[in-house]
Amino acid sequence: MDLDLLHRLAQPSQAKTLLFVMDGLGGLPGSNRMTELEEAATPNMDRLAAEGVCGLHSAVAPGVTPGSGPAHLGLFGYDPLRYDVGRGVLAALGTGEALSPADVAARGNFCTVDAEGRVADRRAGRIPTEECARLCDLLRDGVDLGDTDFLIKPVKEYRFLLVLKGTGLGPDLDDTDPQETGREPLAPRALNKDSEHTAAVVADFVEQAQRVLADQDPANMVLLRGFSSKPEWPLLPDVYSMRAACVAAYPMYRGVSRLVGMDVVDVEGGFEQELDALEAAWNDHDFFFLHYKKTDSAGEDGDFQRKTSLLEEVDALLPRILSLGPDVFCLTGDHSTPAVMRSHSWHPVPVCIRGRHVRPDRVTVFSERDCALGGLGPHFPSTQLMPQLMAHAGRLRKFGA
Ligand code: ZN
């Protein structure tokens, strides 16, 4: 969808919209031939399906398995293929780090090099996260980049985040990771003139890091990749002239929401705390994105039964959410995470929209099989969801005379 067009059509409205995303919602049949959602007893979701209009959406393109970042961008109306986030920026978002567009972020690996400086293990024997944190401390204390500030943060195991903060930094740099063992790390290379200063700063960082880590075992060197800066995109509050809020406990979702201009509501704890925060923020915003994470984790663990139970738990909380009285309510997921696959998948995701002017369909059960028969269609691009929610909220005026 064209965000410029939607911006031209946007008009003010008093209506409140709530987009509720259960991460990894879609599933596949288990041993009893029913999906997680079909197996779960979800009377409240089924009532919604009966009152609303249902369908299935695909996040990036048919057959493409999305990560949660791109999948959420799609839900927010940003074509993930066009609005591409660099891997360094995604890593920063994942740690909850707020970036300025002038910063350059990169993903780092601690690695092992041999006496000749050739990479012997790209992951330094998968050192534990605590060791990674200790090494990050060493680099923070031992490296000085002059006018350029830097932030270094452990991520998981051998992975870390590096953010350069200064003036005149461009993000267009080749990786220093040679992607194979037996080769020396690559020298940082600028892909354009604007990034030449960054290449020099990164070369300085790598050289100092090697010196600081020389006596460490097994992690005695760093590899960097995915150099990128925070993109400057049209922002949701501007596109639709509305106050938008993210209610999510996980850093990654807060980061993606920040990228599209949402206010991020303070939440600590689990889903019940998210609901407390949602209720507290209700009067201050027009659009809410509410996120539930555990369904995805259960799918990735291959725990069919747990995913089913979690869906039932969420169902029991739906009346509390709906008692806020959203004018437009959307129940969906960002992608499928079938427990039988133990991973994200490309399968389209159930969605239901309830609002005063929805055209009802014959769907009365909220499930993959039933939603395929719904009025929204069995396979629409997720980027088409947001404009429909906005239309239902009265936020889009007529196109043409
Ligand atoms: Zn996800």
mmCIF file of all heavy atoms in Angstrom, residues 54-58 347-351 367-374 376-382:
data_model
loop_
_atom_site.group_PDB
_atom_site.id
_atom_site.type_symbol
_atom_site.label_atom_id
_atom_site.label_comp_id
_atom_site.label_asym_id
_atom_site.label_seq_id
_atom_site.Cartn_x
_atom_site.Cartn_y
_atom_site.Cartn_z
ATOM 1 N N CYS A 54 -13.573 -12.164 8.806
ATOM 2 C CA CYS A 54 -12.342 -12.933 9.006
ATOM 3 C C CYS A 54 -11.595 -13.169 7.698
ATOM 4 O O CYS A 54 -12.123 -12.945 6.609
ATOM 5 C CB CYS A 54 -12.651 -14.284 9.654
ATOM 6 S SG CYS A 54 -13.271 -14.117 11.338
ATOM 7 N N GLY A 55 -10.385 -13.645 7.818
ATOM 8 C CA GLY A 55 -9.573 -13.979 6.652
ATOM 9 C C GLY A 55 -8.219 -14.485 7.092
ATOM 10 O O GLY A 55 -8.000 -14.784 8.268
ATOM 11 N N LEU A 56 -7.312 -14.616 6.121
ATOM 12 C CA LEU A 56 -5.933 -15.017 6.397
ATOM 13 C C LEU A 56 -5.017 -14.048 5.670
ATOM 14 O O LEU A 56 -5.261 -13.711 4.517
ATOM 15 C CB LEU A 56 -5.655 -16.435 5.885
ATOM 16 C CG LEU A 56 -6.425 -17.598 6.502
ATOM 17 C CD1 LEU A 56 -6.205 -18.869 5.674
ATOM 18 C CD2 LEU A 56 -5.991 -17.854 7.943
ATOM 19 N N HIS A 57 -3.960 -13.609 6.349
ATOM 20 C CA HIS A 57 -3.018 -12.709 5.673
ATOM 21 C C HIS A 57 -1.621 -13.320 5.623
ATOM 22 O O HIS A 57 -1.274 -14.181 6.428
ATOM 23 C CB HIS A 57 -2.980 -11.339 6.356
ATOM 24 C CG HIS A 57 -2.372 -11.334 7.733
ATOM 25 N ND1 HIS A 57 -1.021 -11.479 7.965
ATOM 26 C CD2 HIS A 57 -2.942 -11.205 8.962
ATOM 27 C CE1 HIS A 57 -0.783 -11.430 9.260
ATOM 28 N NE2 HIS A 57 -1.923 -11.280 9.897
ATOM 29 N N SER A 58 -0.836 -12.853 4.643
ATOM 30 C CA SER A 58 0.564 -13.257 4.515
ATOM 31 C C SER A 58 1.446 -12.056 4.760
ATOM 32 O O SER A 58 1.158 -10.968 4.261
ATOM 33 C CB SER A 58 0.905 -13.703 3.099
ATOM 34 O OG SER A 58 0.475 -14.927 2.804
ATOM 35 N N HIS A 347 2.953 -19.991 6.283
ATOM 36 C CA HIS A 347 1.495 -20.162 6.177
ATOM 37 C C HIS A 347 0.760 -18.888 6.587
ATOM 38 O O HIS A 347 1.117 -18.242 7.564
ATOM 39 C CB HIS A 347 1.034 -21.320 7.067
ATOM 40 C CG HIS A 347 1.686 -22.618 6.719
ATOM 41 N ND1 HIS A 347 2.882 -23.017 7.264
ATOM 42 C CD2 HIS A 347 1.317 -23.588 5.852
ATOM 43 C CE1 HIS A 347 3.233 -24.201 6.760
ATOM 44 N NE2 HIS A 347 2.300 -24.562 5.898
ATOM 45 N N PRO A 348 -0.300 -18.544 5.829
ATOM 46 C CA PRO A 348 -1.041 -17.330 6.169
ATOM 47 C C PRO A 348 -1.675 -17.396 7.559
ATOM 48 O O PRO A 348 -1.873 -18.474 8.115
ATOM 49 C CB PRO A 348 -2.083 -17.214 5.061
ATOM 50 C CG PRO A 348 -2.057 -18.486 4.308
ATOM 51 C CD PRO A 348 -0.791 -19.208 4.620
ATOM 52 N N VAL A 349 -1.976 -16.230 8.095
ATOM 53 C CA VAL A 349 -2.301 -16.070 9.518
ATOM 54 C C VAL A 349 -3.761 -15.639 9.694
ATOM 55 O O VAL A 349 -4.225 -14.718 9.013
ATOM 56 C CB VAL A 349 -1.390 -14.975 10.129
ATOM 57 C CG1 VAL A 349 -1.592 -14.893 11.636
ATOM 58 C CG2 VAL A 349 0.068 -15.230 9.797
ATOM 59 N N PRO A 350 -4.491 -16.286 10.616
ATOM 60 C CA PRO A 350 -5.889 -15.894 10.859
ATOM 61 C C PRO A 350 -6.007 -14.444 11.321
ATOM 62 O O PRO A 350 -5.161 -13.948 12.071
ATOM 63 C CB PRO A 350 -6.325 -16.838 11.989
ATOM 64 C CG PRO A 350 -5.381 -17.981 11.939
ATOM 65 C CD PRO A 350 -4.086 -17.428 11.438
ATOM 66 N N VAL A 351 -7.064 -13.799 10.861
ATOM 67 C CA VAL A 351 -7.321 -12.425 11.277
ATOM 68 C C VAL A 351 -8.828 -12.216 11.353
ATOM 69 O O VAL A 351 -9.582 -12.793 10.567
ATOM 70 C CB VAL A 351 -6.665 -11.407 10.305
ATOM 71 C CG1 VAL A 351 -7.033 -11.669 8.863
ATOM 72 C CG2 VAL A 351 -6.987 -9.965 10.673
ATOM 73 N N SER A 367 -10.357 -19.878 13.466
ATOM 74 C CA SER A 367 -9.338 -20.905 13.214
ATOM 75 C C SER A 367 -8.805 -20.714 11.804
ATOM 76 O O SER A 367 -9.385 -19.981 11.005
ATOM 77 C CB SER A 367 -9.940 -22.304 13.343
ATOM 78 O OG SER A 367 -10.705 -22.587 12.182
ATOM 79 N N GLU A 368 -7.694 -21.387 11.513
ATOM 80 C CA GLU A 368 -7.088 -21.291 10.185
ATOM 81 C C GLU A 368 -8.084 -21.744 9.113
ATOM 82 O O GLU A 368 -8.284 -21.074 8.104
ATOM 83 C CB GLU A 368 -5.832 -22.174 10.098
ATOM 84 C CG GLU A 368 -4.668 -21.701 10.969
ATOM 85 C CD GLU A 368 -4.766 -22.181 12.407
ATOM 86 O OE1 GLU A 368 -5.840 -22.708 12.807
ATOM 87 O OE2 GLU A 368 -3.776 -22.033 13.152
ATOM 88 N N ARG A 369 -8.715 -22.908 9.339
ATOM 89 C CA ARG A 369 -9.623 -23.502 8.369
ATOM 90 C C ARG A 369 -10.841 -22.617 8.128
ATOM 91 O O ARG A 369 -11.266 -22.430 6.999
ATOM 92 C CB ARG A 369 -10.107 -24.857 8.914
ATOM 93 C CG ARG A 369 -10.042 -25.990 7.956
ATOM 94 C CD ARG A 369 -10.404 -27.267 8.693
ATOM 95 N NE ARG A 369 -9.330 -27.678 9.613
ATOM 96 C CZ ARG A 369 -8.803 -28.899 9.641
ATOM 97 N NH1 ARG A 369 -9.238 -29.818 8.810
ATOM 98 N NH2 ARG A 369 -7.857 -29.205 10.495
ATOM 99 N N ASP A 370 -11.389 -22.066 9.207
ATOM 100 C CA ASP A 370 -12.590 -21.247 9.086
ATOM 101 C C ASP A 370 -12.277 -19.880 8.485
ATOM 102 O O ASP A 370 -13.023 -19.384 7.648
ATOM 103 C CB ASP A 370 -13.262 -21.103 10.451
ATOM 104 C CG ASP A 370 -13.861 -22.416 10.911
ATOM 105 O OD1 ASP A 370 -15.010 -22.703 10.550
ATOM 106 O OD2 ASP A 370 -13.164 -23.178 11.608
ATOM 107 N N CYS A 371 -11.171 -19.282 8.920
ATOM 108 C CA CYS A 371 -10.825 -17.951 8.410
ATOM 109 C C CYS A 371 -10.557 -17.985 6.905
ATOM 110 O O CYS A 371 -10.727 -16.975 6.211
ATOM 111 C CB CYS A 371 -9.617 -17.385 9.149
ATOM 112 S SG CYS A 371 -10.028 -16.830 10.829
ATOM 113 N N ALA A 372 -10.135 -19.156 6.395
ATOM 114 C CA ALA A 372 -9.890 -19.282 4.955
ATOM 115 C C ALA A 372 -11.177 -19.054 4.160
ATOM 116 O O ALA A 372 -11.135 -18.759 2.967
ATOM 117 C CB ALA A 372 -9.311 -20.658 4.638
ATOM 118 N N LEU A 373 -12.326 -19.181 4.828
ATOM 119 C CA LEU A 373 -13.617 -19.000 4.151
ATOM 120 C C LEU A 373 -14.204 -17.616 4.404
ATOM 121 O O LEU A 373 -15.327 -17.328 4.022
ATOM 122 C CB LEU A 373 -14.611 -20.067 4.648
ATOM 123 C CG LEU A 373 -14.131 -21.515 4.502
ATOM 124 C CD1 LEU A 373 -15.074 -22.469 5.242
ATOM 125 C CD2 LEU A 373 -14.029 -21.883 3.029
ATOM 126 N N GLY A 374 -13.423 -16.745 5.053
ATOM 127 C CA GLY A 374 -13.962 -15.463 5.489
ATOM 128 C C GLY A 374 -13.955 -14.386 4.424
ATOM 129 O O GLY A 374 -13.362 -14.529 3.353
ATOM 130 N N LEU A 376 -12.533 -11.523 4.258
ATOM 131 C CA LEU A 376 -11.288 -10.812 3.931
ATOM 132 C C LEU A 376 -10.440 -11.597 2.942
ATOM 133 O O LEU A 376 -9.456 -11.089 2.420
ATOM 134 C CB LEU A 376 -10.463 -10.542 5.204
ATOM 135 C CG LEU A 376 -11.069 -9.573 6.207
ATOM 136 C CD1 LEU A 376 -10.279 -9.589 7.518
ATOM 137 C CD2 LEU A 376 -11.105 -8.161 5.642
ATOM 138 N N GLY A 377 -10.835 -12.833 2.700
ATOM 139 C CA GLY A 377 -10.097 -13.650 1.738
ATOM 140 C C GLY A 377 -9.072 -14.542 2.411
ATOM 141 O O GLY A 377 -8.665 -14.308 3.547
ATOM 142 N N PRO A 378 -8.662 -15.585 1.680
ATOM 143 C CA PRO A 378 -7.786 -16.608 2.262
ATOM 144 C C PRO A 378 -6.299 -16.278 2.170
ATOM 145 O O PRO A 378 -5.479 -17.074 2.623
ATOM 146 C CB PRO A 378 -8.106 -17.841 1.420
ATOM 147 C CG PRO A 378 -8.482 -17.287 0.093
ATOM 148 C CD PRO A 378 -9.120 -15.937 0.327
ATOM 149 N N HIS A 379 -5.930 -15.118 1.593
ATOM 150 C CA HIS A 379 -4.501 -14.933 1.346
ATOM 151 C C HIS A 379 -4.223 -13.486 0.947
ATOM 152 O O HIS A 379 -3.762 -13.234 -0.147
ATOM 153 C CB HIS A 379 -4.088 -15.857 0.188
ATOM 154 C CG HIS A 379 -2.690 -16.340 0.338
ATOM 155 N ND1 HIS A 379 -2.264 -17.544 -0.157
ATOM 156 C CD2 HIS A 379 -1.615 -15.795 0.931
ATOM 157 C CE1 HIS A 379 -0.979 -17.713 0.133
ATOM 158 N NE2 HIS A 379 -0.577 -16.665 0.784
ATOM 159 N N PHE A 380 -4.524 -12.535 1.802
ATOM 160 C CA PHE A 380 -4.272 -11.148 1.393
ATOM 161 C C PHE A 380 -2.983 -10.640 2.044
ATOM 162 O O PHE A 380 -2.591 -11.104 3.111
ATOM 163 C CB PHE A 380 -5.478 -10.251 1.696
ATOM 164 C CG PHE A 380 -5.717 -9.974 3.167
ATOM 165 C CD1 PHE A 380 -5.265 -8.798 3.741
ATOM 166 C CD2 PHE A 380 -6.421 -10.871 3.951
ATOM 167 C CE1 PHE A 380 -5.487 -8.526 5.095
ATOM 168 C CE2 PHE A 380 -6.645 -10.612 5.299
ATOM 169 C CZ PHE A 380 -6.182 -9.444 5.874
ATOM 170 N N PRO A 381 -2.293 -9.675 1.378
ATOM 171 C CA PRO A 381 -1.046 -9.158 1.951
ATOM 172 C C PRO A 381 -1.315 -8.426 3.262
ATOM 173 O O PRO A 381 -2.267 -7.642 3.345
ATOM 174 C CB PRO A 381 -0.544 -8.168 0.893
ATOM 175 C CG PRO A 381 -1.322 -8.451 -0.333
ATOM 176 C CD PRO A 381 -2.622 -9.043 0.101
ATOM 177 N N SER A 382 -0.501 -8.676 4.263
ATOM 178 C CA SER A 382 -0.747 -8.074 5.577
ATOM 179 C C SER A 382 -0.716 -6.546 5.506
ATOM 180 O O SER A 382 -1.339 -5.870 6.315
ATOM 181 C CB SER A 382 0.281 -8.568 6.596
ATOM 182 O OG SER A 382 1.577 -8.147 6.233
#
